[in-house]
Amino acid sequence: MTTKAARIEQAQKYIAELKTLHPCLYDKSFLRTWDQSPDDLRTVVLVAEILEELYEANVSCRLFDGGLAVSNFRDNSTRTRFSFASAATLLGLDLSDLDEGKSQIAHGETVRETTNMISFMTEVIGIRDDKWLGEGHAYQVEVAQAVEEGFKEGVLPRKPCLVNLQCDEDHPTQAMADLIHLIKHFGGIDQLKGKKVAMTWAYSPSYGKPLSVPQGIIGLLPRFGIDVHLAYPEGYDLIPEVVETAKKNAALAGAKFEVSHDMDAAFKDADVVYPKSWCPHSIMLERVKLPSREGPEQVALEKKALEMNTKHKDWECTEEKMKLTKGGNALYMHCLPADITGVSCKEGEVQASVFEKDRIKTYKEASHKPYVIASMILTSKLKNPAAALEHLIKQDKPRAPEF
Amino acid sequence: MTTKAARIEQAQKYIAELKTLHPCLYDKSFLRTWDQSPDDLRTVVLVAEILEELYEANVSCRLFDGGLAVSNFRDNSTRTRFSFASAATLLGLDLSDLDEGKSQIAHGETVRETTNMISFMTEVIGIRDDKWLGEGHAYQVEVAQAVEEGFKEGVLPRKPCLVNLQCDEDHPTQAMADLIHLIKHFGGIDQLKGKKVAMTWAYSPSYGKPLSVPQGIIGLLPRFGIDVHLAYPEGYDLIPEVVETAKKNAALAGAKFEVSHDMDAAFKDADVVYPKSWCPHSIMLERVKLPSREGPEQVALEKKALEMNTKHKDWECTEEKMKLTKGGNALYMHCLPADITGVSCKEGEVQASVFEKDRIKTYKEASHKPYVIASMILTSKLKNPAAALEHLIKQDKPRAPEF
Amino acid sequence: MTTKAARIEQAQKYIAELKTLHPCLYDKSFLRTWDQSPDDLRTVVLVAEILEELYEANVSCRLFDGGLAVSNFRDNSTRTRFSFASAATLLGLDLSDLDEGKSQIAHGETVRETTNMISFMTEVIGIRDDKWLGEGHAYQVEVAQAVEEGFKEGVLPRKPCLVNLQCDEDHPTQAMADLIHLIKHFGGIDQLKGKKVAMTWAYSPSYGKPLSVPQGIIGLLPRFGIDVHLAYPEGYDLIPEVVETAKKNAALAGAKFEVSHDMDAAFKDADVVYPKSWCPHSIMLERVKLPSREGPEQVALEKKALEMNTKHKDWECTEEKMKLTKGGNALYMHCLPADITGVSCKEGEVQASVFEKDRIKTYKEASHKPYVIASMILTSKLKNPAAALEHLIKQDKPRAPEF
């Protein structure tokens, strides 16, 4: 077990590095990693890592003495919900969930209004809106504009920042947590260059899943020098513009970026595999065009998506496939929950023995998310996060009682 | 932008005035403004204004180190819900929402019991119960009696105060926020005397809305010397007793109080217009008499209400009607959300251009509500609010980190 | 009214006694009272009583500077929900409710995973799972194993403790609150020996209620020397193993433990009566075997349970029956809500006049629950609760403002 002194020392090293960076995060929202500079991303990672050290050293990180952290989950969530709640309690904010169930947020006018109405004492709004292609990110932009206007016009004493808790394009809190997992796994951010990640589709019988996780991975990892091989069956394309941006950023960072329809080629010599199901692209496009967001037509379309999936049951992460990876021993990653063959479904994304080998590691992968969210909040709220973190260390207030 | 020093100075001026008043708010619940003395109302306004200055100056107002703020929303709410949550986090209380969905609160016995069961560590209970005429206020009185008994009998270590978050009779947190909006708009509470407010019905296609907002306005504003002209189509009477009380109080304060069925007459030379839909009185009376609170009979009655409304589509706040007001330039007010013609409905309460002109102002109008609620809590909980507020200023603890 | 000084003095006496005990509560979960030693139980009682004195003396007990208290209510709850929320706010934890409604927790794998996902910053998980015989306790054990593994494997920085908020076997927070009620009623824990409690079934028309309350009572009270007479109609057996354990523990403590089908015999010379309905045993066994947890078969079975109940309407706690008790004046206890004849139902568990006589006392009985929960949290989280409590007294920070 790491001692408190060692953790504080580690945190101070991170802070020293933090001071060398020039991010533009202050007073901004965090919607997509590809809107951020390398220094922005490095800053969010470092602050997350520092908060993690401080939490584990039992040093209170409550920089706020109240204020609201508002969440708006337009799609189910347990994991991210608790990560957001954790970030709030870590920083001293009080969670308030906006349940749209009965309030109607239909057109621009009302988004603008509701946003202001929930923001009078709000420091951060976390939004999950991942179901409808072309809408999730657009909605978050609209909310961001609304708080901008509200603040500018003097309605809001302070401007809440937005944290994207998954949209149709990106899932930045997941991708950043995944990145931190890789940093810890390989022993440092400088160890990532040249590592190969296989981001592949995998078979799922459960439901037509969003595209944001694979998009988040290809959008983020190459920027840290990681080679990515994206593989999926024909018909399962990601959003073309997102892939284009990922390619361009990979090139800038000198990372390889391949796309194929060959799971084996992706797995070949990979250091890391990330086999994960998503919905056929054509279905995603059809979904948003249906006259209603619920009802039998949507159910029929969902059924069609699952039927399409059944043609690709061989896209399973098996022991056999794992043998193709580097040393037969690649790190298995997943955003959870995974569809595990024989455990959570009859046939799924991953063979039970493969999952079980790295099961605990997938939990650790997820464990960074609360700190990533807290980091996104702090780096938006503070001009000088390093000074705030040094203050916490100096203050040295126990979070949990030490009796 | 106002400096912190200027805000503190302003807060201190308000505190000085606060010390001259003799309110009877301590240890009481706040159910209807007409149960309160002028000094009570003035106190609630001042404390709300002080809290607003302190929040904007980033001075922590957390006087409580824990304790529950319990909300019970028996009707949908987003705005008031977030205002209550904001007041709780402002003062250091933790929000706990009582979801009656599955617990049965049917007869007196059980209200009494449930009230005690949720109150062991509760400082305030906020209740919204506005749908059923003759019941909302009565329910709140019953809850108030239950905490009184529980405290007296030693069940409750402390007596929670009640804050009416809208009942069938009054909507005091709204009306008080509206009052503060007018104070800010006209440049001081001493500027209100002789101003004319047109509180009028307006057409809505959305649903049969409660009477509490217009009743709250006519009940409160005349007490500050504001002349009120209440206008509505025949059949849309408010509760007669409430109107009687409003008339009496207007007379006492030397304010004019007119009632007519003429929207134009109300708008004529008005400084402020408040066009807002409500349900026909006869329908409100029928609603409570139906054997069930849900089901087809209620739906049919609701449909009848909307049909009655359609006969009065000319009760719309148009540019044309606005020309009748003082200088053609009255302040437009609304408790939100408004039914805006061509925006949130085909035909509604207000023309889009009229709404848009004062849209931001309606947001500011709403922005005072968290402070009004917090003020109602503090003035009930503290014998000496002025001393507590001075303590906060002296303590000068930042709410949000200043790094 | 007791003064603050007197309360602090009383708390200090309790702390002195606390220091003489040797509990094994640290780092453990609290699932069933019969898993705990006498010193464990005495410790939980004392810490609860100390917290109650400190709360009433307005001394802040916020030992935590944030962290989550997660609740998972798999059955409806208002009372226990607010008790858990109260314990959280008392100690400085933030409440987060896990709504399983839409997340699927179906097999072991997923319980293990979800448990870790909600526990990254969690100090305590409170679970209510009382509906299905043979499952509630088993589920809690599974969750306890999951946090154990997560902590051991380094997924969780700290290990959350579990607090059983009612399972199929025990309802320890209720039973411990009931115990404290008896301690206060009889003037000390040393006054309990030889007192007779009649724990009896009673008629209810409302629903087939869990067995955990009577099981909790017979499992706990005899260990403090209280004689228990358990009486119920034929067919209403409790879980045999639980009754066996209770018998054994009663013998160890030198308490009488009788079981009969005779309500009058139970009431005869009783100091305390606890008449309370529960579901026929055979129905409880059938319930879990039905193919589905919802739907018409479950409804039909519930109907059958209520029909069986109707054969025993004479199991009512009447004035007549009360005359059989010691001095005709036994203390009436209930976990609430009670089915009160002529008040909450036509015919029920207790005659209205009997209930009314001790109604306020049943509220007080319930009022200890928040402190019992907080005590279970503290005694698991702290190696030295006495030192922590002395620290709170020395710190003497007001919870509510004293202006």
Side-chain angles (χ1 to χ4, degrees):
Chain A
M1 201 181 129
T2 319
T3 63
K4 174 170 174 176
R7 293 201 177 277
I8 298 297
E9 202 187 318
Q10 184 59 56
Q12 276 161 336
K13 275 185 202 160
Y14 288 141
I15 292 175
E17 192 182 341
L18 188 60
K19 288 178 179 174
T20 67
L21 302 173
H22 299 88
C24 295
L25 295 159
Y26 178 65
D27 205 29
K28 301 281 186 0
S29 288
F30 202 111
L31 301 189
R32 300 180 303 195
T33 63
W34 46 90
D35 299 327
Q36 310 293 338
S37 76
D39 267 23
D40 291 349
L41 299 174
R42 189 74 195 101
T43 297
V44 171
V45 166
L46 278 170
V47 171
E49 286 181 304
I50 295 161
L51 290 171
E52 196 159 342
E53 296 297 341
L54 296 186
Y55 183 83
E56 299 229 12
N58 200 32
V59 174
S60 173
C61 298
R62 299 205 125 192
L63 287 160
F64 289 89
D65 200 37
L68 294 185
V70 174
S71 57
N72 181 359
F73 286 92
R74 303 182 126 194
D75 196 4
N76 293 338
S77 167
T78 298
R79 258 148 274 276
T80 306
R81 195 182 282 275
F82 274 81
S83 292
F84 192 73
S86 296
T89 196
L90 180 73
L91 300 178
L93 297 170
D94 285 319
L95 188 68
S96 221
D97 190 50
L98 170 60
D99 184 347
E100 293 188 334
K102 287 165 185 182
S103 78
Q104 288 220 357
I105 297 190
H107 15 60
E109 190 66 5
T110 317
V111 169
R112 200 162 60 174
E113 189 173 301
T114 307
T115 300
N116 276 277
M117 296 303 115
I118 63 172
S119 297
F120 298 130
M121 290 190 193
T122 298
E123 295 288 336
V124 54
I125 304 175
I127 302 177
R128 184 168 201 180
D129 187 351
D130 57 1
K131 283 174 94 166
W132 312 103
L133 217 58
E135 297 187 5
H137 176 65
Y139 170 68
Q140 298 195 7
V141 168
E142 198 179 352
V143 172
Q145 285 166 345
V147 294
E148 193 71 48
E149 186 200 43
F151 177 67
K152 203 184 111 214
E153 297 285 354
V155 173
L156 304 179
R158 291 168 59 89
K159 188 174 73 181
C161 64
L162 264 70
V163 171
N164 174 5
L165 301 177
Q166 191 169 7
C167 72
D168 55 327
E169 298 194 14
D170 197 7
H171 192 348
T173 63
Q174 179 67 45
M176 298 292 285
D178 291 343
L179 173 63
I180 293 174
H181 186 54
L182 292 177
I183 291 171
K184 306 271 185 216
H185 179 76
F186 290 115
I189 200 161
D190 52 328
Q191 303 298 310
L192 301 182
K193 192 153 183 65
K195 293 290 185 297
K196 179 182 173 183
V197 170
M199 177 73 243
T200 81
W201 191 85
Y203 170 67
S204 163
S206 57
Y207 71 100
K209 301 180 184 191
L211 313 181
S212 46
V213 168
Q215 290 172 169
I217 290 298
I218 66 166
L220 181 65
L221 298 191
R223 300 181 70 189
F224 290 82
I226 295 172
D227 300 333
V228 169
H229 189 132
L230 171 68
Y232 52 83
E234 282 187 51
Y236 287 80
D237 295 304
L238 301 177
I239 299 176
E241 293 79 7
V242 172
V243 178
E244 269 322 295
T245 305
K247 267 186 194 165
K248 246 181 269 173
N249 282 333
L252 278 172
K256 287 182 210 152
F257 184 77
E258 279 177 275
V259 184
S260 80
H261 298 311
D262 186 342
M263 194 178 188
D264 286 358
F267 269 51
K268 178 80 180 131
D269 290 328
D271 298 278
V272 178
V273 298
Y274 205 134
K276 152 100 188 70
S277 196
W278 63 83
C279 187
H281 198 78
S282 58
I283 302 279
M284 291 299 277
L285 293 173
E286 269 186 77
R287 259 190 201 169
V288 290
K289 286 181 203 150
L290 290 184
S292 163
R293 292 293 152 101
E294 289 177 66
E297 281 181 318
Q298 290 285 0
V299 173
L301 194 58
E302 179 69 13
K303 207 181 150 199
K304 197 172 144 192
L306 295 184
E307 277 165 13
M308 284 181 65
N309 283 2
T310 58
K311 289 172 200 153
H312 309 288
K313 290 192 178 174
D314 53 322
W315 287 70
E316 186 191 0
C317 180
T318 59
E319 294 280 0
E320 207 51 38
K321 284 219 177 353
M322 286 302 280
K323 285 185 188 150
L324 300 168
T325 67
K326 189 164 293 164
N329 194 29
L331 175 70
Y332 167 86
M333 286 178 78
H334 201 284
C335 55
L336 304 179
D339 290 307
I340 309 160
T341 301
V343 177
S344 47
C345 56
K346 217 175 126 196
E347 298 165 293
E349 295 171 312
V350 60
Q351 209 172 319
S353 60
V354 173
F355 183 80
E356 186 56 29
K357 187 176 68 68
D358 279 352
R359 179 174 62 84
I360 289 294
K361 286 182 184 162
T362 63
Y363 294 1
K364 286 184 184 168
E365 183 186 349
S367 76
H368 304 299
K369 205 184 276 184
Y371 304 101
V372 167
I373 296 172
S375 171
M376 288 175 179
I377 298 171
L378 277 195
T379 54
S380 172
K381 290 288 149 184
L382 301 175
K383 279 180 192 154
N384 191 345
L389 295 162
E390 281 175 332
H391 161 78
L392 292 174
I393 291 170
K394 203 178 150 197
Q395 178 181 269
D396 194 20
K397 186 177 178 186
R399 184 196 61 81
E402 297 174 333
F403 292 95
Chain B
M1 201 181 128
T2 319
T3 64
K4 174 170 173 175
R7 292 202 177 278
I8 298 297
E9 203 187 316
Q10 183 60 57
Q12 277 160 335
K13 274 185 203 162
Y14 289 141
I15 292 173
E17 191 182 342
L18 189 60
K19 289 178 179 174
T20 68
L21 302 172
H22 299 87
C24 294
L25 295 159
Y26 177 65
D27 205 30
K28 300 281 186 359
S29 289
F30 201 111
L31 302 189
R32 301 180 302 195
T33 63
W34 47 89
D35 299 326
Q36 310 293 338
S37 76
D39 267 20
D40 291 349
L41 299 174
R42 188 74 195 101
T43 297
V44 171
V45 166
L46 279 170
V47 171
E49 286 181 304
I50 295 162
L51 290 170
E52 196 158 343
E53 296 297 341
L54 295 187
Y55 183 84
E56 300 230 10
N58 199 35
V59 174
S60 173
C61 299
R62 299 204 126 193
L63 288 161
F64 289 90
D65 199 37
L68 296 185
V70 174
S71 58
N72 180 1
F73 286 93
R74 303 183 126 192
D75 195 5
N76 293 338
S77 167
T78 298
R79 258 148 274 274
T80 306
R81 195 182 282 278
F82 274 81
S83 292
F84 192 72
S86 297
T89 196
L90 180 74
L91 299 179
L93 297 170
D94 285 319
L95 188 68
S96 221
D97 190 49
L98 170 60
D99 184 347
E100 293 187 332
K102 289 164 184 181
S103 77
Q104 287 220 358
I105 299 192
H107 14 62
E109 191 65 5
T110 316
V111 169
R112 199 163 60 173
E113 188 171 301
T114 306
T115 300
N116 276 277
M117 296 303 115
I118 63 172
S119 297
F120 298 131
M121 291 190 192
T122 298
E123 295 289 335
V124 55
I125 303 175
I127 302 176
R128 185 168 200 179
D129 187 350
D130 57 1
K131 283 175 93 167
W132 312 103
L133 217 59
E135 297 187 6
H137 176 65
Y139 170 68
Q140 298 195 7
V141 167
E142 199 179 352
V143 171
Q145 285 166 345
V147 295
E148 192 72 48
E149 186 200 43
F151 177 67
K152 204 186 109 213
E153 297 285 357
V155 173
L156 305 179
R158 290 169 60 88
K159 189 174 75 183
C161 64
L162 264 69
V163 171
N164 174 7
L165 300 177
Q166 190 169 5
C167 71
D168 54 329
E169 298 193 15
D170 197 6
H171 192 348
T173 64
Q174 180 66 45
M176 297 292 283
D178 291 343
L179 173 63
I180 293 175
H181 186 54
L182 292 177
I183 292 172
K184 306 270 185 216
H185 180 76
F186 289 115
I189 200 161
D190 51 327
Q191 302 299 310
L192 301 182
K193 193 153 183 64
K195 294 290 186 298
K196 178 182 173 183
V197 171
M199 176 74 243
T200 82
W201 190 85
Y203 170 68
S204 163
S206 57
Y207 70 101
K209 301 180 184 192
L211 313 182
S212 46
V213 168
Q215 289 172 170
I217 291 297
I218 64 167
L220 181 65
L221 298 191
R223 300 182 68 188
F224 289 82
I226 295 173
D227 300 332
V228 169
H229 188 133
L230 171 70
Y232 52 83
E234 283 187 50
Y236 287 81
D237 295 303
L238 300 176
I239 300 176
E241 293 79 7
V242 172
V243 178
E244 269 321 295
T245 304
K247 266 187 195 165
K248 247 182 267 173
N249 282 332
L252 277 172
K256 286 182 212 153
F257 184 77
E258 279 177 275
V259 186
S260 79
H261 300 310
D262 186 343
M263 193 177 187
D264 286 358
F267 269 51
K268 179 81 179 129
D269 290 327
D271 298 277
V272 178
V273 298
Y274 205 135
K276 152 100 188 70
S277 195
W278 62 83
C279 188
H281 198 77
S282 58
I283 302 280
M284 290 299 276
L285 293 174
E286 269 186 75
R287 260 190 199 170
V288 290
K289 285 181 203 152
L290 289 184
S292 162
R293 291 294 153 100
E294 290 176 65
E297 280 180 320
Q298 290 284 358
V299 173
L301 194 59
E302 179 68 14
K303 208 182 148 200
K304 197 172 145 192
L306 295 184
E307 276 166 12
M308 284 181 64
N309 284 1
T310 58
K311 288 172 203 155
H312 308 288
K313 289 191 181 176
D314 53 322
W315 287 70
E316 186 191 359
C317 180
T318 59
E319 294 280 1
E320 208 50 40
K321 285 221 177 350
M322 286 302 279
K323 284 185 188 148
L324 300 168
T325 67
K326 190 165 291 167
N329 194 29
L331 176 70
Y332 167 85
M333 287 178 77
H334 201 283
C335 55
L336 304 178
D339 290 307
I340 308 159
T341 301
V343 176
S344 46
C345 57
K346 219 175 125 197
E347 297 165 291
E349 295 171 312
V350 59
Q351 210 173 318
S353 60
V354 173
F355 183 79
E356 187 56 30
K357 187 177 68 70
D358 279 351
R359 179 175 61 84
I360 289 294
K361 286 183 185 162
T362 63
Y363 295 0
K364 286 184 185 168
E365 182 186 349
S367 76
H368 305 298
K369 205 185 275 185
Y371 305 100
V372 166
I373 296 173
S375 170
M376 288 174 180
I377 298 171
L378 278 195
T379 53
S380 172
K381 290 287 148 183
L382 302 175
K383 279 180 194 155
N384 191 345
L389 295 162
E390 282 175 332
H391 161 79
L392 292 174
I393 292 171
K394 201 178 152 198
Q395 178 181 267
D396 194 19
K397 186 177 178 186
R399 184 196 61 81
E402 297 175 332
F403 292 95
Chain C
M1 202 181 127
T2 318
T3 63
K4 175 171 174 175
R7 291 201 177 278
I8 298 297
E9 202 189 317
Q10 183 59 56
Q12 277 160 335
K13 274 185 203 161
Y14 288 142
I15 292 175
E17 190 181 342
L18 189 60
K19 289 178 178 173
T20 68
L21 301 173
H22 300 88
C24 295
L25 295 158
Y26 177 65
D27 206 30
K28 301 279 186 0
S29 288
F30 202 111
L31 301 189
R32 301 180 301 196
T33 62
W34 46 90
D35 299 327
Q36 310 293 337
S37 75
D39 267 21
D40 291 349
L41 299 174
R42 188 75 195 101
T43 296
V44 171
V45 166
L46 279 169
V47 171
E49 286 181 304
I50 295 161
L51 290 170
E52 196 158 343
E53 296 296 341
L54 296 186
Y55 183 84
E56 300 230 12
N58 199 33
V59 174
S60 173
C61 299
R62 298 204 126 192
L63 288 161
F64 290 89
D65 199 38
L68 295 185
V70 175
S71 58
N72 181 0
F73 286 93
R74 303 183 126 192
D75 195 6
N76 293 338
S77 168
T78 298
R79 257 148 274 274
T80 306
R81 195 182 283 276
F82 274 81
S83 292
F84 192 72
S86 296
T89 197
L90 181 73
L91 299 178
L93 298 170
D94 284 319
L95 188 69
S96 221
D97 190 50
L98 170 60
D99 184 347
E100 293 187 332
K102 288 164 185 182
S103 78
Q104 288 220 356
I105 298 191
H107 14 60
E109 190 66 4
T110 316
V111 169
R112 198 163 60 173
E113 189 173 301
T114 306
T115 299
N116 275 277
M117 296 303 115
I118 63 172
S119 297
F120 298 131
M121 291 190 192
T122 298
E123 295 289 334
V124 54
I125 304 175
I127 302 176
R128 184 168 200 180
D129 187 350
D130 57 1
K131 282 175 93 166
W132 312 103
L133 217 59
E135 296 187 6
H137 176 67
Y139 171 68
Q140 297 195 7
V141 167
E142 199 179 352
V143 171
Q145 285 165 346
V147 294
E148 192 71 48
E149 185 200 43
F151 177 68
K152 203 185 110 213
E153 297 284 355
V155 173
L156 305 179
R158 290 169 60 89
K159 189 174 75 183
C161 64
L162 264 69
V163 171
N164 174 6
L165 301 177
Q166 190 168 7
C167 71
D168 54 328
E169 298 193 15
D170 197 6
H171 192 347
T173 63
Q174 180 67 45
M176 297 292 284
D178 290 343
L179 173 63
I180 293 174
H181 186 53
L182 292 177
I183 292 171
K184 305 271 185 216
H185 180 75
F186 289 113
I189 199 161
D190 51 328
Q191 302 298 311
L192 301 182
K193 192 152 184 64
K195 292 291 184 300
K196 178 181 174 185
V197 171
M199 177 74 243
T200 82
W201 190 85
Y203 171 68
S204 163
S206 56
Y207 71 101
K209 301 179 184 193
L211 313 182
S212 46
V213 168
Q215 290 172 169
I217 290 298
I218 64 167
L220 181 66
L221 298 191
R223 299 182 69 187
F224 289 82
I226 295 172
D227 300 332
V228 170
H229 188 133
L230 171 68
Y232 51 83
E234 283 187 51
Y236 287 80
D237 295 304
L238 301 177
I239 300 176
E241 293 78 7
V242 172
V243 178
E244 268 322 294
T245 304
K247 267 186 193 164
K248 246 182 269 174
N249 282 332
L252 277 172
K256 286 183 210 152
F257 184 76
E258 279 178 276
V259 184
S260 78
H261 298 311
D262 185 343
M263 195 178 186
D264 286 359
F267 269 50
K268 178 83 179 125
D269 290 328
D271 298 277
V272 178
V273 298
Y274 204 135
K276 152 100 188 69
S277 195
W278 62 83
C279 188
H281 198 79
S282 59
I283 301 279
M284 290 299 275
L285 293 173
E286 269 186 77
R287 260 191 199 169
V288 290
K289 285 182 201 149
L290 290 184
S292 162
R293 291 294 152 100
E294 289 177 66
E297 280 180 320
Q298 289 285 357
V299 173
L301 194 58
E302 179 69 14
K303 208 182 148 199
K304 197 172 144 192
L306 295 184
E307 277 166 12
M308 284 182 65
N309 284 1
T310 57
K311 288 173 202 153
H312 309 288
K313 289 191 180 176
D314 54 321
W315 287 70
E316 185 192 0
C317 180
T318 58
E319 295 280 1
E320 207 50 40
K321 286 221 176 350
M322 286 301 279
K323 284 185 188 150
L324 300 169
T325 67
K326 189 164 295 166
N329 194 28
L331 176 70
Y332 167 85
M333 286 177 78
H334 201 284
C335 55
L336 303 181
D339 290 306
I340 309 160
T341 301
V343 177
S344 46
C345 57
K346 218 176 124 195
E347 297 165 292
E349 295 171 312
V350 59
Q351 209 172 321
S353 60
V354 173
F355 183 79
E356 187 56 30
K357 188 177 68 72
D358 279 352
R359 179 174 62 85
I360 289 294
K361 286 183 185 163
T362 63
Y363 294 0
K364 287 185 186 168
E365 182 186 349
S367 76
H368 304 299
K369 206 185 275 185
Y371 304 101
V372 166
I373 296 173
S375 171
M376 288 175 180
I377 298 172
L378 277 195
T379 54
S380 172
K381 290 288 149 183
L382 302 175
K383 278 181 193 154
N384 191 345
L389 295 162
E390 282 175 332
H391 162 78
L392 291 174
I393 291 170
K394 201 177 153 200
Q395 179 181 266
D396 193 19
K397 187 177 178 186
R399 184 196 61 80
E402 296 175 333
F403 292 94

